[in-house]
């Protein structure tokens, strides 16, 4: 893994808001490598405790976000990075925290959409709370998806047609704030990501796939107009394993609009499973 050089004397202390998955661990490792001061705000029930061994961290919940932000400010944290999967909070959880309840009253029904709520959260953290929100790629190098073929297996013409169709579907449905992933088999839409997440989407589509006609591609892409600092679609080893188990031919993501978690290990797993990973050029 190549790390972005952070050895600057005036770099603000980083707060890592950590959810599920391997990405928080990569951010922590990058900070250690660069000698950057950081503190982890780890969501209970989501963040993997293994990443927290030997780190400065605080467990947080949706019901105590106000006190967590107060602690972050008192600890000298100036920048925040939001990484990893975090379950959508219930209204009851948000209402149990005074500051979250105030925020909920401000955004109203926009809580129903992922993009709207994330954009509102970023504005609230920056404009009201005074933190600077940064993207994971400012900490990690080689995490944004490049264009082209990543491993030994390459998509054929039929796969490329499915990839193109999948990308168009995400762009259209994304205007309604629906999903970042779709599974296509020979032009047939097997499933679109909803609240269940990508791995469950793949599992569901594996049962719908028609093995007699072959093919099957997972396409992941950012939705139009979404914030690129938070919630970029991510693929990793778990995605590769799920795709392989479902009998898919490969995975496609969009250049600089997706994160590659544990990139080298992911590509190795894809080669071993004989499935492709393809970066769709931005201009297509």
């Amino acid at each position: 893994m190549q790390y972005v050089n952070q050895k600057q004397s005036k770099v603000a202390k980083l707060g890592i808001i950590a959810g599920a998955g391997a990405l928080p661990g990569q951010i922590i490792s990058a900070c250690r490598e660069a000698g950057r001061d950081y503190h982890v705000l780890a969501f209970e029930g989501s963040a993997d405790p293994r990443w927290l061994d030997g780190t400065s961290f605080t467990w947080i919940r949706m019901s105590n976000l106000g006190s967590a932000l107060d602690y972050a400010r008192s600890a000298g944290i100036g920048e925040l990075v939001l990484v990893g999967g975090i379950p959508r909070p219930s209204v009851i959880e948000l209402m149990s925290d005074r500051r979250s309840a105030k925020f909920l009253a401000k955004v109203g029904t926009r809580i129903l959409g992922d993009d709207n709520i994330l954009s509102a959260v970023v504005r609230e953290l920056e404009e009201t709370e005074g933190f600077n929100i940064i993207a994971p790629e400012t900490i990690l190098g080689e995490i944004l998806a490049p264009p082209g073929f990543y491993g030994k297996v390459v998509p054929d013409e039929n796969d490329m047609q499915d990839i193109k169709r999948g990308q168009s579907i995400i762009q259209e449905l994304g205007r309604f704030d629906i999903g970042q992933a779709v599974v296509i088999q020979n032009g047939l839409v097997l499933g679109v990501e909803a609240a269940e997440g990508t791995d469950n989407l793949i599992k569901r589509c594996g049962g719908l796939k028609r093995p007699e006609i072959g093919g099957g591609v997972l396409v992941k892409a950012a939705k139009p107009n979404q914030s690129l600092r938070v919630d970029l679609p991510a693929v990793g080893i778990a995605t590769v394993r799920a795709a392989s188990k479902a009998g898919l031919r490969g995975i496609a993501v969009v250049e600089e609009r997706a994160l590659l978690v544990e990139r080298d290990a992911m590509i190795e797993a894809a080669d071993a499973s004989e499935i492709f990973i393809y970066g769709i050029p931005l201009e297509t």
Side-chain angles (χ1 to χ4, degrees), residues 28-100:
I28 291 168
S29 295
C31 288
R32 286 173 170 168
E33 179 81 9
R36 179 167 186 178
D37 195 11
Y38 70 93
H39 184 83
V40 183
L41 302 169
F43 271 100
E44 288 185 359
S46 295
D48 190 333
R50 291 177 299 174
W51 306 128
L52 306 177
D53 187 31
T55 69
S56 172
F57 74 94
T58 302
W59 286 111
I60 64 174
R61 303 181 303 275
M62 289 296 179
S63 59
N64 73 345
L65 287 180
S67 59
L69 292 175
D70 287 339
Y71 173 80
R73 190 177 294 104
S74 68
I77 290 172
E79 292 185 335
L80 293 174
V81 60
L82 287 68
V83 287
I86 301 171
R88 175 183 288 278
S90 69
V91 172
I92 292 175
E93 285 180 290
L94 291 173
M95 291 299 290
S96 64
D97 177 74
R98 180 183 58 82
R99 203 170 307 177
S100 298

Side-chain angles (χ1 to χ4, degrees), residues 199-242:
D199 289 350
N200 286 324
L201 164 70
I202 297 171
K203 182 177 180 180
R204 171 163 57 90
C205 292
L208 300 173
K209 187 173 176 291
R210 297 169 59 188
E212 71 275 8
I213 62 175
V217 176
L218 168 72
V219 183
K220 294 200 72 171
K223 289 173 280 188
N225 304 317
Q226 81 166 74
S227 171
L228 299 181
R229 287 184 289 171
V230 294
D231 197 38
L232 275 185
V235 294
I237 297 174
T239 318
V240 170
R241 289 172 178 163

Side-chain angles (χ1 to χ4, degrees), residues 129-251:
E129 302 292 342
F131 296 101
N132 180 36
I133 309 302
I134 63 173
E137 62 267 22
T138 64
I139 305 297
L140 295 171
E142 297 184 353
I143 193 169
L144 284 179
F149 312 115
Y150 300 167
K152 298 177 182 178
V153 183
V154 299
D156 60 24
E157 181 58 35
N158 188 62
D159 297 325
M160 294 300 289
Q161 290 298 318
D162 280 349
I163 290 168
K164 184 176 180 179
R165 179 167 169 76
Q167 188 181 8
S168 297
I169 289 169
I170 291 172
Q171 289 298 300
E172 288 303 315
L173 290 181
R175 301 181 199 283
F176 299 96
D177 198 8
I178 299 173
Q180 294 177 314
V182 61
V183 176
I184 307 285
Q185 183 189 22
N186 288 282
L188 177 66
V189 179
L190 297 182
V192 175
E193 183 181 37
E196 82 270 44
T198 303
D199 289 350
N200 286 324
L201 164 70
I202 297 171
K203 182 177 180 180
R204 171 163 57 90
C205 292
L208 300 173
K209 187 173 176 291
R210 297 169 59 188
E212 71 275 8
I213 62 175
V217 176
L218 168 72
V219 183
K220 294 200 72 171
K223 289 173 280 188
N225 304 317
Q226 81 166 74
S227 171
L228 299 181
R229 287 184 289 171
V230 294
D231 197 38
L232 275 185
V235 294
I237 297 174
T239 318
V240 170
R241 289 172 178 163
S244 176
K245 186 174 181 179
L248 300 184
R249 278 265 303 152
I251 299 166

